[in-house]
């Protein structure tokens, strides 16, 4: 097939940006009591979890099943990098700490650096 590795990294970083924005919006809306704010809060939570799931899907279904080969000299470091991204995305799904989104970005960039070497 046709593979677009850089497009996948770009997509994951865009998803991470959305997650970071969602975490900020959730924090801003959390103390408000009106129905509109509650609705928006729920939508941002759903968006955050959706984008984290998209990142996990790219790692699992694109990189782990199609691109990372056990014959690679970098196999161990690639697996560690992919795992780091998946765990960071999981932490973003589970919480609303802004640092988790920062850690996710670092994990994606770190994985990309190892992958593209």
């Amino acid at each position: 097939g046709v593979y677009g590795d850089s497009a996948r990294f770009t997509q994951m970083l865009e998803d991470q940006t959305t997650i970071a924005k969602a975490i900020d919006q959730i924090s801003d809306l959390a103390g408000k009591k009106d129905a509109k704010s509650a609705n928006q809060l729920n939508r941002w939570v759903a968006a955050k979890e959706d984008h984290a799931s998209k990142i996990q899907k790219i790692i699992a279904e694109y990189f782990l099943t199609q691109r990372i080969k056990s014959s690679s000299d970098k196999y161990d470091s690639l697996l560690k990098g992919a795992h780091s991204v998946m765990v960071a995305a999981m932490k973003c799904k589970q919480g609303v700490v802004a640092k988790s989104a920062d850690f996710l970005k670092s994990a994606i960039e770190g994985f990309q650096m190892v992958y593209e070497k």
Side-chain angles (χ1 to χ4, degrees), residues 32-49:
K32 298 183 179 181
K33 305 277 187 209
D34 61 288
K36 182 179 178 184
S37 295
N39 182 59
Q40 278 304 113
L41 177 71
N42 287 326
R43 292 174 61 95
W44 279 114
V45 169
K48 175 181 67 88
E49 293 184 4

Side-chain angles (χ1 to χ4, degrees), residues 33-90:
K33 305 277 187 209
D34 61 288
K36 182 179 178 184
S37 295
N39 182 59
Q40 278 304 113
L41 177 71
N42 287 326
R43 292 174 61 95
W44 279 114
V45 169
K48 175 181 67 88
E49 293 184 4
D50 179 53
H51 285 274
S53 292
K54 287 178 181 180
I55 290 170
Q56 290 174 318
K57 184 175 180 169
I58 289 170
I59 293 292
E61 294 181 8
Y62 181 76
F63 287 104
L64 292 176
T65 61
Q66 298 180 51
R67 303 302 287 152
I68 297 174
K69 307 293 184 199
S70 60
S71 59
S72 170
D73 293 340
K74 305 182 292 183
Y75 185 64
D76 288 345
S77 57
L78 289 169
L79 286 181
K80 287 177 184 176
H83 183 258
S84 178
V85 173
M86 292 188 81
V87 169
M90 174 199 62

